[in-house]
Amino acid sequence: AQSVTQLDSQVPVFEEAPVELRCNYSSSVSVYLFWYVQYPNQGLQLLLKYLSGSTLVKGINGFEAEFNKSQTSFHLRKPSVHISDTAEYFCAVSVYTGANNLFFGTGTRLTVIP
Amino acid sequence: NAGVTQTPKFQVLKTGQSMTLQCAQDMNHEYMSWYRQDPGMGLRLIHYSVGAGITDQGEVPNGYNVSRSTTEDFPLRLLSAAPSQTSVYFCASRLDSAPNTIYFGEGSWLTVV
């Protein structure tokens, strides 16, 4: 079975500072990895995804993530955050086999402080 | 192209009442699923379907029924609502040939009192 762990439930950061949101996964088979963002009272928006190839994935809004197979991690980074980045961020994983169901971590609430 | 449409967007139920959350997609997607989102728990898979006539349980299926009589529709039924089912529900769909591209509905906010 696969699982996703988001190590930080809340991350406060000052505006224009860098941020890293951590995600670790476990799976016995190869996986696809995703980061989603959810703004208050809204639905889910895909930030980026890793399928194969280059381990550094660039997404929307200046975010990027790096897949590290040896550490089973897929951390999300942004070099300089903006107030509008305040939201909840979810890491998710699906496996290559079976129904390819998507499994989510518990989320990290990013709060950007002016 | 409407994508994934969920109705209703907001609903208040009394304990013991039944209701159905509707989900429809117009993209001819074989796969559809339902998630619930609770604070601190992320999104958890309730039920999913890989095609018309086929459904299966996810992580948290208890208290919910589903059916898939058509490719387009995947309703989620609460037969006897409980306060523990207060949550935000998301429907999702995708093509079997594109497992990495999933489309989410906008969510349904359900409160059981």
Side-chain angles (χ1 to χ4, degrees), chain A residues 8-33:
Chain A
D8 306 299
S9 60
Q10 298 188 59
V11 173
V13 62
F14 286 103
E15 191 174 14
E16 297 183 3
V19 69
E20 178 179 84
L21 306 184
R22 297 180 293 168
C23 173
N24 286 86
Y25 69 93
S26 67
S27 175
S28 56
V29 297
S30 296
V31 298
Y32 304 122
L33 294 158

mmCIF file of all heavy atoms in Angstrom, chain A residues 8-33:
data_model
loop_
_atom_site.group_PDB
_atom_site.id
_atom_site.type_symbol
_atom_site.label_atom_id
_atom_site.label_comp_id
_atom_site.label_asym_id
_atom_site.label_seq_id
_atom_site.Cartn_x
_atom_site.Cartn_y
_atom_site.Cartn_z
ATOM 1 N N ASP A 8 4.794 18.831 8.038
ATOM 2 C CA ASP A 8 4.430 20.073 8.721
ATOM 3 C C ASP A 8 2.970 20.393 8.466
ATOM 4 O O ASP A 8 2.562 20.510 7.318
ATOM 5 C CB ASP A 8 5.296 21.240 8.222
ATOM 6 C CG ASP A 8 6.768 20.937 8.343
ATOM 7 O OD1 ASP A 8 7.223 20.727 9.476
ATOM 8 O OD2 ASP A 8 7.450 20.878 7.304
ATOM 9 N N SER A 9 2.199 20.540 9.523
ATOM 10 C CA SER A 9 0.793 20.871 9.317
ATOM 11 C C SER A 9 0.600 22.363 9.053
ATOM 12 O O SER A 9 -0.338 22.756 8.364
ATOM 13 C CB SER A 9 -0.035 20.450 10.535
ATOM 14 O OG SER A 9 0.424 21.112 11.692
ATOM 15 N N GLN A 10 1.510 23.177 9.615
ATOM 16 C CA GLN A 10 1.426 24.620 9.402
ATOM 17 C C GLN A 10 2.823 25.175 9.190
ATOM 18 O O GLN A 10 3.759 24.786 9.892
ATOM 19 C CB GLN A 10 0.779 25.309 10.604
ATOM 20 C CG GLN A 10 -0.656 24.880 10.875
ATOM 21 C CD GLN A 10 -1.304 25.722 11.950
ATOM 22 O OE1 GLN A 10 -1.416 26.938 11.821
ATOM 23 N NE2 GLN A 10 -1.729 25.083 13.011
ATOM 24 N N VAL A 11 2.939 26.070 8.220
ATOM 25 C CA VAL A 11 4.214 26.731 7.948
ATOM 26 C C VAL A 11 3.955 28.221 7.795
ATOM 27 O O VAL A 11 3.348 28.653 6.823
ATOM 28 C CB VAL A 11 4.878 26.172 6.673
ATOM 29 C CG1 VAL A 11 6.115 26.987 6.326
ATOM 30 C CG2 VAL A 11 5.245 24.701 6.850
ATOM 31 N N PRO A 12 4.398 29.010 8.791
ATOM 32 C CA PRO A 12 4.330 30.471 8.633
ATOM 33 C C PRO A 12 5.642 30.971 8.037
ATOM 34 O O PRO A 12 6.707 30.487 8.412
ATOM 35 C CB PRO A 12 4.157 30.960 10.073
ATOM 36 C CG PRO A 12 4.816 29.906 10.906
ATOM 37 C CD PRO A 12 4.785 28.615 10.130
ATOM 38 N N VAL A 13 5.550 31.927 7.140
ATOM 39 C CA VAL A 13 6.764 32.452 6.509
ATOM 40 C C VAL A 13 6.517 33.907 6.146
ATOM 41 O O VAL A 13 5.395 34.287 5.796
ATOM 42 C CB VAL A 13 7.136 31.607 5.274
ATOM 43 C CG1 VAL A 13 6.046 31.659 4.222
ATOM 44 C CG2 VAL A 13 8.474 32.025 4.700
ATOM 45 N N PHE A 14 7.577 34.718 6.237
ATOM 46 C CA PHE A 14 7.420 36.129 5.888
ATOM 47 C C PHE A 14 7.410 36.303 4.376
ATOM 48 O O PHE A 14 8.028 35.534 3.627
ATOM 49 C CB PHE A 14 8.535 36.966 6.526
ATOM 50 C CG PHE A 14 8.348 37.162 8.008
ATOM 51 C CD1 PHE A 14 9.099 36.430 8.916
ATOM 52 C CD2 PHE A 14 7.414 38.060 8.487
ATOM 53 C CE1 PHE A 14 8.926 36.601 10.286
ATOM 54 C CE2 PHE A 14 7.231 38.248 9.847
ATOM 55 C CZ PHE A 14 7.981 37.501 10.744
ATOM 56 N N GLU A 15 6.708 37.322 3.954
ATOM 57 C CA GLU A 15 6.629 37.646 2.537
ATOM 58 C C GLU A 15 8.028 37.845 1.964
ATOM 59 O O GLU A 15 8.910 38.412 2.618
ATOM 60 C CB GLU A 15 5.799 38.920 2.361
ATOM 61 C CG GLU A 15 5.413 39.232 0.929
ATOM 62 C CD GLU A 15 4.468 40.413 0.819
ATOM 63 O OE1 GLU A 15 4.325 41.156 1.815
ATOM 64 O OE2 GLU A 15 3.867 40.581 -0.259
ATOM 65 N N GLU A 16 8.242 37.336 0.771
ATOM 66 C CA GLU A 16 9.493 37.396 0.011
ATOM 67 C C GLU A 16 10.561 36.435 0.537
ATOM 68 O O GLU A 16 11.655 36.367 -0.035
ATOM 69 C CB GLU A 16 10.038 38.822 -0.081
ATOM 70 C CG GLU A 16 9.108 39.775 -0.827
ATOM 71 C CD GLU A 16 9.672 41.165 -0.997
ATOM 72 O OE1 GLU A 16 10.830 41.386 -0.580
ATOM 73 O OE2 GLU A 16 8.966 42.028 -1.531
ATOM 74 N N ALA A 17 10.275 35.692 1.566
ATOM 75 C CA ALA A 17 11.206 34.669 2.053
ATOM 76 C C ALA A 17 10.999 33.382 1.258
ATOM 77 O O ALA A 17 9.929 33.166 0.679
ATOM 78 C CB ALA A 17 10.979 34.416 3.541
ATOM 79 N N PRO A 18 11.999 32.505 1.263
ATOM 80 C CA PRO A 18 11.821 31.205 0.602
ATOM 81 C C PRO A 18 11.029 30.258 1.491
ATOM 82 O O PRO A 18 10.965 30.431 2.719
ATOM 83 C CB PRO A 18 13.257 30.702 0.431
ATOM 84 C CG PRO A 18 13.996 31.350 1.556
ATOM 85 C CD PRO A 18 13.365 32.687 1.768
ATOM 86 N N VAL A 19 10.441 29.241 0.875
ATOM 87 C CA VAL A 19 9.685 28.261 1.652
ATOM 88 C C VAL A 19 9.900 26.876 1.053
ATOM 89 O O VAL A 19 10.120 26.713 -0.157
ATOM 90 C CB VAL A 19 8.175 28.598 1.653
ATOM 91 C CG1 VAL A 19 7.560 28.403 0.278
ATOM 92 C CG2 VAL A 19 7.433 27.766 2.693
ATOM 93 N N GLU A 20 9.888 25.883 1.932
ATOM 94 C CA GLU A 20 9.911 24.486 1.507
ATOM 95 C C GLU A 20 8.834 23.741 2.275
ATOM 96 O O GLU A 20 8.777 23.795 3.510
ATOM 97 C CB GLU A 20 11.270 23.842 1.790
ATOM 98 C CG GLU A 20 11.298 22.358 1.399
ATOM 99 C CD GLU A 20 12.640 21.718 1.649
ATOM 100 O OE1 GLU A 20 12.876 21.302 2.818
ATOM 101 O OE2 GLU A 20 13.435 21.595 0.710
ATOM 102 N N LEU A 21 7.976 23.068 1.557
ATOM 103 C CA LEU A 21 6.933 22.225 2.157
ATOM 104 C C LEU A 21 7.334 20.782 1.900
ATOM 105 O O LEU A 21 7.545 20.389 0.760
ATOM 106 C CB LEU A 21 5.569 22.532 1.548
ATOM 107 C CG LEU A 21 5.124 23.996 1.592
ATOM 108 C CD1 LEU A 21 3.713 24.121 1.030
ATOM 109 C CD2 LEU A 21 5.195 24.557 2.989
ATOM 110 N N ARG A 22 7.393 20.020 2.984
ATOM 111 C CA ARG A 22 7.963 18.688 2.871
ATOM 112 C C ARG A 22 6.914 17.616 2.644
ATOM 113 O O ARG A 22 5.811 17.670 3.206
ATOM 114 C CB ARG A 22 8.785 18.373 4.126
ATOM 115 C CG ARG A 22 9.976 19.304 4.306
ATOM 116 C CD ARG A 22 10.751 18.946 5.560
ATOM 117 N NE ARG A 22 9.990 19.190 6.772
ATOM 118 C CZ ARG A 22 10.344 18.763 7.978
ATOM 119 N NH1 ARG A 22 11.449 18.037 8.108
ATOM 120 N NH2 ARG A 22 9.622 19.055 9.037
ATOM 121 N N CYS A 23 7.292 16.628 1.830
ATOM 122 C CA CYS A 23 6.414 15.504 1.524
ATOM 123 C C CYS A 23 7.267 14.261 1.375
ATOM 124 O O CYS A 23 8.245 14.253 0.626
ATOM 125 C CB CYS A 23 5.643 15.762 0.237
ATOM 126 S SG CYS A 23 4.674 14.352 -0.339
ATOM 127 N N ASN A 24 6.900 13.223 2.090
ATOM 128 C CA ASN A 24 7.521 11.912 1.926
ATOM 129 C C ASN A 24 6.440 10.888 1.605
ATOM 130 O O ASN A 24 5.295 11.011 2.040
ATOM 131 C CB ASN A 24 8.265 11.496 3.202
ATOM 132 C CG ASN A 24 9.544 12.264 3.378
ATOM 133 O OD1 ASN A 24 9.552 13.362 3.937
ATOM 134 N ND2 ASN A 24 10.627 11.712 2.884
ATOM 135 N N TYR A 25 6.813 9.881 0.836
ATOM 136 C CA TYR A 25 5.838 8.868 0.454
ATOM 137 C C TYR A 25 6.436 7.490 0.689
ATOM 138 O O TYR A 25 7.649 7.336 0.833
ATOM 139 C CB TYR A 25 5.444 9.032 -1.007
ATOM 140 C CG TYR A 25 6.553 8.683 -1.965
ATOM 141 C CD1 TYR A 25 6.674 7.404 -2.491
ATOM 142 C CD2 TYR A 25 7.512 9.633 -2.318
ATOM 143 C CE1 TYR A 25 7.711 7.077 -3.339
ATOM 144 C CE2 TYR A 25 8.554 9.316 -3.160
ATOM 145 C CZ TYR A 25 8.650 8.035 -3.668
ATOM 146 O OH TYR A 25 9.687 7.713 -4.497
ATOM 147 N N SER A 26 5.573 6.520 0.737
ATOM 148 C CA SER A 26 6.015 5.126 0.774
ATOM 149 C C SER A 26 5.181 4.336 -0.222
ATOM 150 O O SER A 26 3.969 4.539 -0.330
ATOM 151 C CB SER A 26 5.879 4.540 2.175
ATOM 152 O OG SER A 26 4.522 4.439 2.533
ATOM 153 N N SER A 27 5.863 3.495 -0.973
ATOM 154 C CA SER A 27 5.192 2.653 -1.952
ATOM 155 C C SER A 27 6.144 1.549 -2.365
ATOM 156 O O SER A 27 7.354 1.775 -2.460
ATOM 157 C CB SER A 27 4.771 3.464 -3.176
ATOM 158 O OG SER A 27 4.222 2.623 -4.173
ATOM 159 N N SER A 28 5.601 0.387 -2.634
ATOM 160 C CA SER A 28 6.425 -0.737 -3.065
ATOM 161 C C SER A 28 6.579 -0.769 -4.586
ATOM 162 O O SER A 28 7.356 -1.560 -5.110
ATOM 163 C CB SER A 28 5.804 -2.049 -2.579
ATOM 164 O OG SER A 28 4.467 -2.163 -3.049
ATOM 165 N N VAL A 29 5.845 0.113 -5.273
ATOM 166 C CA VAL A 29 5.949 0.183 -6.728
ATOM 167 C C VAL A 29 6.180 1.634 -7.130
ATOM 168 O O VAL A 29 6.091 2.551 -6.315
ATOM 169 C CB VAL A 29 4.686 -0.365 -7.414
ATOM 170 C CG1 VAL A 29 4.499 -1.835 -7.086
ATOM 171 C CG2 VAL A 29 3.455 0.429 -6.996
ATOM 172 N N SER A 30 6.467 1.822 -8.399
ATOM 173 C CA SER A 30 6.724 3.171 -8.897
ATOM 174 C C SER A 30 5.480 4.033 -8.785
ATOM 175 O O SER A 30 4.362 3.542 -8.889
ATOM 176 C CB SER A 30 7.198 3.104 -10.345
ATOM 177 O OG SER A 30 8.422 2.435 -10.438
ATOM 178 N N VAL A 31 5.723 5.318 -8.585
ATOM 179 C CA VAL A 31 4.619 6.233 -8.305
ATOM 180 C C VAL A 31 4.660 7.454 -9.213
ATOM 181 O O VAL A 31 5.680 7.794 -9.801
ATOM 182 C CB VAL A 31 4.645 6.723 -6.843
ATOM 183 C CG1 VAL A 31 4.478 5.556 -5.872
ATOM 184 C CG2 VAL A 31 5.930 7.482 -6.561
ATOM 185 N N TYR A 32 3.507 8.089 -9.300
ATOM 186 C CA TYR A 32 3.399 9.434 -9.818
ATOM 187 C C TYR A 32 3.182 10.339 -8.602
ATOM 188 O O TYR A 32 2.497 9.955 -7.654
ATOM 189 C CB TYR A 32 2.197 9.575 -10.752
ATOM 190 C CG TYR A 32 2.165 8.628 -11.914
ATOM 191 C CD1 TYR A 32 1.083 7.766 -12.095
ATOM 192 C CD2 TYR A 32 3.174 8.606 -12.861
ATOM 193 C CE1 TYR A 32 1.025 6.903 -13.177
ATOM 194 C CE2 TYR A 32 3.131 7.752 -13.942
ATOM 195 C CZ TYR A 32 2.054 6.901 -14.094
ATOM 196 O OH TYR A 32 1.994 6.053 -15.162
ATOM 197 N N LEU A 33 3.719 11.548 -8.635
ATOM 198 C CA LEU A 33 3.639 12.448 -7.487
ATOM 199 C C LEU A 33 3.059 13.794 -7.905
ATOM 200 O O LEU A 33 3.340 14.287 -8.997
ATOM 201 C CB LEU A 33 5.016 12.645 -6.874
ATOM 202 C CG LEU A 33 5.603 11.392 -6.233
ATOM 203 C CD1 LEU A 33 7.116 11.489 -6.145
ATOM 204 C CD2 LEU A 33 4.999 11.160 -4.853
#
